[in-house]
């Protein structure tokens, strides 16, 4: 069919397996270290925070890991997600490129995050957990875990970065609708939060601080609460590969294969989700798709950060990992893509980037919103500000193809819709947004504060 726009799979096509890049990864994994001793962590340390099934997935090198039937059952509420050809955007750009997007905003909470929230809640329930703790920046991850905890009848407390708590009341209300308790971080509920507030009662919070609070709440609960993280860790990237596995089949339906696959990166999970199955085809089946990660110039961990060992959180309670980092004390500028403001990046992505298997670029905030609006006008969907970074890069690829007269096939992940982010659009439309580049001197300064890791 020549004019087909939507490529839809049936319920039977929901993947039965997640794909584990660590089976095929040409780059050996780097050790994960205890934040106190800086020695490799033991499963005992991790088991304070995570159930055993997730710890085993974290270190697994099995290529395909079966998706439990109970998880597929909940995936049925929104998977398989559609793949669309952006014909109207192609026309607006007058490009010979073919642009496809996988729409993860079709989930109940509007992003890709339930792909991992559902299995995380499932394995916690199976392991006997009664309650979970987590952090959230803009609220996408918190609402996904609130949805999943409700499905599996688990309590949830969410430490929401204070500035977002104030700016995004509807995300907070959504989490509460699913039954979660939401606190503005820094709180006076944890030792770390109290210490921050004692020094600065008006502290706006950061993702690194909220992680510290959520980790402390689980670690000091005497085993009753476990912690869930929405990105960065191997098991999270693993769960997200349902995106790319479906996209492979849908590109086949369209009779095309992508020259470039694009995703925005905060901690790296939606990019990994769409890119890793295509990377497998590169590594094992001779394909040559370019894999492009897109980050904001305001939090440019891959393109400007240093590739070294650093803490995963501000209070130095989370494990130390080797990653591209801006320093664990990173206080982000108030840009409007809350989900892209983390100081580090998934270690697996960093290792692949370092070895040249994936590419990365940083884009500015204002051109990103310009791309978001151009996309919304052509395709109808108002994208999440995070996802708009991928759109900026996809449009630039299409314009580059036009300049070179090439028929390039572009696939990007539309990781979420922006229906709860209208405040950001309002700021853009009224001319209040500014471009911001994180200064190289600040990265240099932050490196003085790194853990002193000596590996033998
Ligand atoms: C819609 C959306 N896209 C992307 C991200 C970035 O996270 P990740 O890099 O883990 O996909 C977020 C994070 O909150 C998000 O909400």
């Amino acid at each position: 069919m020549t004019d087909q726009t939507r490529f839809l799979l049936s319920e039977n096509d929901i993947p039965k397996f997640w794909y584990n890049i660590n089976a095929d990864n040409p780059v050996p994994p780097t050790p994960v270290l205890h934040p106190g001793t800086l020695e490799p962590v033991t499963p005992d340390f991790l088991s304070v925070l995570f159930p055993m099934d997730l710890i085993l997935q974290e270190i697994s090198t099995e290529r395909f890991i079966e998706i439990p039937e109970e998880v597929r059952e909940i995936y049925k509420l929104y998977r398989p997600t559609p793949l669309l050809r952006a014909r109207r955007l192609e026309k607006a750009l007058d490009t010979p490129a073919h642009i496809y997007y996988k729409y993860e905003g079709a989930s109940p909470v509007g992003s890709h995050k339930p792909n991992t929230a559902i299995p995380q809640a499932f394995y916690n329930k199976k392991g006997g957990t009664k309650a979970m703790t987590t952090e959230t920046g803009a609220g996408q991850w918190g609402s996904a875990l609130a949805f999943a905890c409700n499905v599996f009848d688990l309590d949830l407390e969410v430490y929401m970065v204070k500035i977002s708590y104030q700016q995004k009341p509807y995300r907070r209300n959504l989490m509460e609708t699913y039954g979660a308790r939401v606190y503005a971080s820094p709180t006076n509920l944890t030792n770390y939060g109290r210490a921050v507030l004692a020094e600065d009662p008006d502290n706006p919070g950061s993702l690194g601080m909220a992680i510290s609070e959520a980790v402390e709440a689980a670690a000091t609960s005497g085993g009753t609460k476990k912690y869930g993280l929405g990105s960065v860790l191997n098991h999270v990237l693993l769960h997200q590969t349902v995106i790319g596995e479906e996209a492979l089949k849908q590109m086949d339906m369209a009779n095309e294969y992508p020259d470039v696959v694009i995703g925005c990166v905060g901690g790296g999970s939606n990019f990994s989700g769409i890119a890793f199955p295509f990377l497998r085809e590169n590594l094992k089946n001779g394909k040559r798709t370019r894999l492009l990660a897109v980050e904001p110039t305001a939090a440019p961990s891959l393109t400007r950060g240093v590739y070294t060992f650093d803490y995963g959180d501000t209070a130095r309670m989370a494990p130390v990992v080797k990653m591209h980092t801006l320093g664990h004390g990173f206080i982000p500028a108030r840009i409007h893509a809350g989900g892209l403001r983390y100081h580090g990046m998934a270690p697996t992505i960093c290792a692949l980037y370092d070895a040249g298997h994936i590419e990365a670029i940083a884009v500015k905030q204002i051109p990103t919103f310009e791309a978001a609006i151009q996309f919304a006008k052509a395709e109808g969907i108002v994208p999440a500000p995070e996802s708009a970074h991928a759109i900026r890069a996809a449009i630039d690829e299409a314009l580059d193809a036009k300049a070179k007269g090439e028929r390039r096939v572009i696939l990007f992940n539309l990781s979420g819709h922006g229906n709860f982010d209208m405040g950001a659009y309002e700021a853009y439309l009224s001319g209040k947004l500014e471009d911001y580049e994180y200064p190289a001197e600040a990265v240099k300064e932050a490196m003085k504060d790194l853990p002193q890791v000596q590996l033998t």
Side-chain angles (χ1 to χ4, degrees):
M1 213 193 308
T2 48
D3 288 339
Q4 193 168 346
T5 297
R6 286 159 64 85
F7 297 88
L8 304 176
L9 297 168
S10 77
E11 242 170 59
N12 291 333
D13 293 309
I14 295 175
K16 295 195 169 59
F17 294 89
W18 291 300
Y19 169 57
N20 183 6
I21 188 67
N22 288 324
D24 297 321
N25 197 338
V27 195
T30 50
V32 174
L33 308 178
H34 188 288
T37 63
L38 299 182
E39 295 291 328
V41 289
T42 56
D44 274 358
F45 170 78
L46 292 175
S47 69
V48 174
L49 299 180
F50 304 107
M52 197 44 78
D53 282 310
L54 292 177
I55 295 171
L56 293 175
Q57 289 182 358
E58 189 61 26
I59 54 175
S60 171
T61 51
E62 202 180 322
R63 180 164 292 117
F64 292 105
I65 295 181
E66 192 164 5
I67 304 179
E69 216 27 65
E70 295 88 335
V71 170
R72 291 185 78 243
E73 201 52 41
I74 311 303
Y75 277 170
K76 279 184 196 165
L77 291 175
Y78 66 99
R79 304 214 71 84
T81 58
L83 178 90
L84 285 94
R85 174 137 172 224
R87 290 185 183 275
R88 294 175 55 80
L89 179 65
E90 288 169 15
K91 208 162 168 202
L93 297 170
D94 188 25
T95 174
H98 291 187
I99 308 174
Y100 291 86
Y101 61 97
K102 179 79 169 148
Y103 185 40
E104 289 298 305
S107 83
V109 297
S111 79
H112 63 295
K113 298 280 179 182
N115 298 335
T116 182
I118 295 164
Q120 287 194 38
F122 167 75
Y123 289 119
N124 268 287
K125 185 75 182 180
K126 183 169 167 251
T129 305
K130 298 277 180 278
M132 291 185 71
T133 71
T134 198
E135 72 290 327
T136 197
Q140 287 272 21
W141 165 244
S143 19
L145 195 60
F147 158 67
C149 280
N150 174 57
V151 167
F152 289 104
D153 200 18
L154 291 166
D155 269 1
L156 175 65
E157 60 195 57
V158 183
Y159 292 82
M160 184 172 190
V161 177
K162 191 187 277 169
I163 179 91
S164 304
Y165 183 93
Q166 288 159 350
Q167 284 177 348
K168 305 205 172 200
Y170 294 144
R171 272 278 165 206
R172 173 175 23 124
N173 297 151
L174 181 60
M175 291 182 256
E176 289 166 348
T177 300
Y178 292 123
R181 262 164 299 126
V182 187
Y183 305 119
S185 166
T187 70
N188 56 16
L189 300 171
T190 64
N191 287 331
Y192 179 65
R194 282 189 289 271
V196 173
L197 289 175
E199 222 167 82
D200 175 10
D202 295 324
N203 192 302
S206 73
L207 208 50
M209 282 180 198
I211 295 176
S212 300
E213 290 211 274
V215 166
E216 184 186 323
T220 56
S221 70
T224 59
K225 297 176 190 170
K226 299 271 186 212
Y227 167 71
L229 186 62
S231 191
V232 178
L233 298 175
N234 286 337
H235 66 265
V236 180
L237 312 191
L238 171 81
H239 299 154
Q240 292 293 353
T241 57
V242 288
I243 305 172
E245 294 297 349
E246 287 176 8
L248 271 168
K249 282 191 184 172
Q250 288 162 307
M251 289 304 301
D252 208 36
M253 285 167 85
N255 252 326
E256 300 222 69
Y257 197 83
D259 296 305
V260 57
V261 171
I262 301 171
C264 67
V265 282
S269 74
N270 87 88
F271 171 74
S272 304
I274 195 155
F276 285 174
F278 288 93
L279 178 56
R280 173 184 71 222
E281 298 305 306
N282 283 0
L283 294 170
K284 302 197 66 80
N285 293 323
K287 299 284 192 195
R288 303 178 63 134
T289 300
R290 291 167 47 223
L291 306 169
L292 178 61
V294 191
E295 59 186 11
T297 52
S301 45
L302 277 176
T303 54
R304 282 274 182 92
V306 178
Y307 188 37
T308 185
F309 282 92
D310 197 5
Y311 299 96
D313 70 330
T314 314
R316 307 171 177 203
M317 283 186 287
V320 168
V321 292
K322 190 169 181 191
M323 60 183 173
H324 286 81
T325 178
L326 301 167
H328 58 274
F330 174 65
I331 305 267
R334 291 177 187 199
I335 59 157
H336 281 277
L340 305 185
R341 291 188 292 198
Y342 185 56
H343 66 274
M345 183 59 62
T348 303
I349 292 192
C350 294
L352 287 164
Y353 174 60
D354 194 57
H357 293 282
I358 61 180
E359 302 169 25
I361 54 167
V363 295
K364 291 184 183 165
Q365 181 164 236
I366 291 175
T368 297
F369 272 91
E370 281 164 9
I373 295 218
Q374 188 168 26
F375 181 82
K377 284 183 167 165
E379 299 292 318
I381 298 168
V382 176
E386 292 83 1
S387 322
H389 290 71
I391 299 177
R392 176 71 269 161
I395 289 178
D396 289 345
E397 285 283 334
L399 293 175
D400 183 57
K402 177 178 168 180
K404 294 180 176 148
E406 275 175 33
R407 197 187 142 283
R408 200 174 300 174
V409 179
I410 300 164
L411 167 64
F412 73 88
N413 194 33
L414 185 53
S415 55
H417 68 62
N419 295 0
F420 286 92
D421 300 290
M422 294 324 289
Y425 280 86
E426 201 270 330
Y428 170 74
L429 292 168
S430 58
K432 286 189 208 133
L433 288 196
E434 281 173 18
D435 278 332
Y436 176 77
E437 292 203 36
Y438 194 65
E441 307 80 67
V443 182
K444 217 166 141 196
E445 191 58 33
M447 294 306 117
K448 293 185 186 148
D449 214 14
L450 290 176
Q452 297 304 308
V453 173
Q454 272 145 11
L455 290 176
T456 45

